[in-house]
Amino acid sequence: MKSLTSFFDRMVQRYLPDAFLFAIILTFAVFLLGIIFTDSSPIQMVEYWGTGFWDLLAFAMQMSLIVVTGYILASTPIVKKLLSKLSKLANTPEQAILIVTFVASVACLINYGFGLVVGALFAIHVAKRVPTVDYRVLMASAYSGFLLWHGGLSGSIPLLIATPGHFLEDTIGTIPVSDTLFSGFNLFIVFVLLFTLPFLNRFLMKSRDPLKNTDALQWNTSTVEDVKVDENTPADDLTPAERLENSRIISLLVGIMGLLFVIYHFVENGFDLNINIVNFIFLFLGIIFHKTPRRFLNSVTSAVKNAGGIIVQFPFYAGIMGMMVTSGLSEQMSLWFVSISTEFTLPWFTFISAGLVNFFVPSGGGQWAVQGPIMIPAALEIGADTAKTAMAVAWGDAWTNMIQPFWALPLLAIAGLKVRDIMGFCVMILLYSFIPISIGLLFF
């Protein structure tokens, strides 16, 4: 295992390009696959790519704001003090890995966007507390918690099929979360991963190649810094505009208004912690905790520099999704796995196919729109469990996120790392997690 971990780490460090180039390579790969395996011409593939290029603009904005608002909130004194106190639970590198993995996993089970940001920010504070910990493995541990998101409370597929009016309702009706999220097979997978991933990551830390170690003295310590504020200017010397910029009353009033909407949202919708409300909470808590508009805006200026990778790369993934879906390539992949499946094996082959499709359609909801209309009728035809088949798509989507940079970008932006810094360890997490997920889908 130590040799295998070191091997993957060395290979990734040597051969894996920047995440942007990874998206470019995937673009060319899908372009060629579409020409070879579908009836699409090169001109048509270019058309599909360009037409779909801007389909993720709203989502790209959401993920950019996750990074920005998470940074803003984390740079407030009260939150930094809270995370710093929580980080005191870790006194050794081993404890640091265990605690970060567990906290990130629980946070992702609550909400995927919340978990990505909280895991990264908590890992930064733990690294400051335990400067001898391997920072790359620590951030890989924080990201490993994302493996559990689609089996948790914000899982888009199980929540969608439990909602009246979803696009497959005429085929399967509504499937309650008791049959998906709270089923025996899903709880088995979640609990096994929740309580074993920390120890796997602890082992990865001990198995790392010491020559390739990136410790806390080498990483970007300016990731979440204190906002510099000049408080020495007498109030009488401030212009009316500067007084507004330094007004605590304005920040308090708009912050209270935002929090009142949050309360209204939860009263009306229950515990609906979607990505928009997470961003909303982060934003308005940041406004309140920074106390003045000027401090808040200074933090925003520092935060936006971390969102550049998301802004540039997500349109390329939208173009890839456009080629995959419109050319029929994703449908052909799914149909091939259906053709070799039985009642017993369909959920497992669905999981494998979803993991493969996730490289090119790295969005849970988007992937369900592609695979759901194929896998669910197949399950009904051969008598397979439709709820388990739907969750197999969900787990396939979550599984290969470990080696798909799409979702790692927010965490990497906050951490100040490159995708190659953590991906070697994530390969090992991918290989290990295949076992409990397969057992859950096949034998429960």
Side-chain angles (χ1 to χ4, degrees):
M1 286 288 287
K2 181 175 181 179
S3 298
L4 190 61
T5 303
S6 297
F7 169 77
F8 283 126
D9 187 31
R10 287 194 302 270
M11 291 299 101
V12 166
Q13 288 285 330
R14 186 174 178 85
Y15 295 109
L16 183 67
D18 182 83
F20 174 71
L21 292 175
F22 185 85
I24 298 297
I25 292 170
L26 279 181
T27 298
F28 288 133
V30 174
F31 177 80
L32 294 174
L33 290 172
I35 295 172
I36 295 171
F37 293 105
T38 73
D39 296 331
S40 303
S41 68
I43 295 299
Q44 287 177 314
M45 291 300 291
V46 171
E47 178 190 352
Y48 303 153
W49 174 71
T51 302
F53 201 77
W54 303 114
D55 285 350
L56 288 180
L57 282 181
F59 186 65
M61 187 63 177
Q62 288 176 323
M63 297 313 296
S64 296
L65 283 173
I66 271 287
V67 173
V68 172
T69 59
Y71 180 103
I72 290 169
L73 185 59
S75 64
T76 61
I78 187 172
V79 172
K80 294 184 75 171
K81 186 178 295 185
L82 176 64
L83 290 175
S84 180
K85 285 185 178 180
L86 187 59
S87 69
K88 291 180 180 179
L89 293 171
N91 297 302
T92 66
E94 290 81 6
Q95 291 176 353
I97 296 294
L98 292 172
I99 291 171
V100 165
T101 306
F102 186 79
V103 168
S105 298
V106 171
C108 284
L109 283 171
I110 296 172
N111 178 268
Y112 69 93
F114 176 75
L116 276 176
V117 174
V118 167
L121 298 177
F122 182 56
I124 289 172
H125 284 272
V126 169
K128 292 177 179 178
R129 168 75 178 174
V130 187
T132 55
V133 70
D134 187 309
Y135 187 61
R136 293 185 301 134
V137 181
L138 189 69
M139 279 300 168
S141 300
Y143 185 56
S144 70
F146 193 60
L147 181 62
L148 285 79
W149 86 270
H150 223 147
L153 299 179
S154 65
S156 57
I157 293 174
L159 294 182
L160 178 64
I161 61 178
T163 304
H166 70 90
F167 68 88
L168 287 177
E169 185 176 15
D170 291 340
T171 305
I172 57 173
T174 57
I175 300 178
V177 293
S178 58
D179 293 342
T180 54
L181 295 180
F182 298 106
S183 63
F185 70 86
N186 192 65
L187 291 177
F188 169 80
I189 297 170
V190 166
F191 280 110
V192 169
L193 291 176
L194 181 64
F195 292 107
T196 60
L197 276 180
F199 296 98
L200 172 68
N201 292 332
R202 180 177 177 271
F203 173 80
L204 294 180
M205 184 193 69
K206 290 182 173 295
S207 301
R208 72 192 187 281
D209 185 345
L211 296 177
K212 295 293 183 181
N213 182 40
T214 302
D215 61 31
L217 296 178
Q218 296 171 290
W219 61 276
N220 180 10
T221 56
S222 64
T223 301
V224 182
E225 291 293 338
D226 292 312
V227 177
K228 307 301 181 184
V229 181
D230 183 6
E231 297 182 328
N232 296 321
T233 304
D236 294 340
D237 295 337
L238 295 176
T239 66
E242 289 173 335
R243 289 182 182 179
L244 287 175
E245 291 173 354
N246 289 279
S247 171
R248 296 192 177 199
I249 294 177
I250 290 178
S251 288
L252 184 61
L253 289 177
V254 72
I256 290 174
M257 186 175 179
L259 294 184
L260 286 175
F261 174 77
V262 171
I263 294 172
Y264 168 81
H265 170 82
F266 287 127
V267 169
E268 289 293 313
N269 303 287
F271 191 65
D272 177 24
L273 199 63
N274 60 62
I275 196 70
N276 287 331
I277 201 66
V278 169
N279 277 329
F280 199 89
I281 293 170
F282 283 7
L283 177 63
F284 284 92
L285 285 179
I287 290 173
I288 292 175
F289 292 160
H290 276 297
K291 298 182 180 179
T292 70
R294 175 46 51 201
R295 294 183 187 179
F296 171 76
L297 292 173
N298 288 342
S299 180
V300 171
T301 300
S302 299
V304 293
K305 64 183 180 182
N306 296 320
I310 295 172
I311 294 170
V312 171
Q313 292 176 47
F314 274 36
F316 281 89
Y317 281 107
I320 292 169
M321 290 171 60
M323 288 191 290
M324 284 288 295
V325 175
T326 313
S327 70
L329 189 58
S330 57
E331 180 180 358
Q332 287 195 17
M333 288 183 180
S334 300
L335 288 173
W336 184 83
F337 280 99
V338 168
S339 69
I340 60 173
S341 299
T342 65
E343 175 185 352
F344 176 71
T345 62
L346 180 65
W348 186 73
F349 278 122
T350 299
F351 159 65
I352 300 296
S353 69
L356 180 61
V357 171
N358 183 55
F359 277 104
F360 312 102
V361 187
S363 165
Q367 189 166 342
W368 179 245
V370 172
Q371 291 195 278
I374 300 170
M375 296 305 184
I376 291 301
L380 291 171
E381 183 176 343
I382 65 177
D385 188 327
T386 54
K388 183 179 285 189
T389 302
M391 286 304 297
V393 177
W395 278 109
D397 166 72
W399 178 50
T400 48
N401 280 336
M402 290 298 99
I403 54 174
Q404 160 56 274
F406 183 87
W407 287 105
L409 291 176
L411 178 139
L412 293 170
I414 294 171
L417 293 176
K418 300 289 187 181
V419 64
R420 67 173 66 94
D421 292 323
I422 69 169
M423 204 55 69
F425 305 111
C426 289
V427 172
M428 294 298 295
I429 297 168
L430 176 94
L431 295 176
Y432 164 74
S433 60
F434 177 79
I435 299 171
I437 296 173
S438 296
I439 292 174
L441 293 175
L442 286 171
F443 301 112
F444 279 78

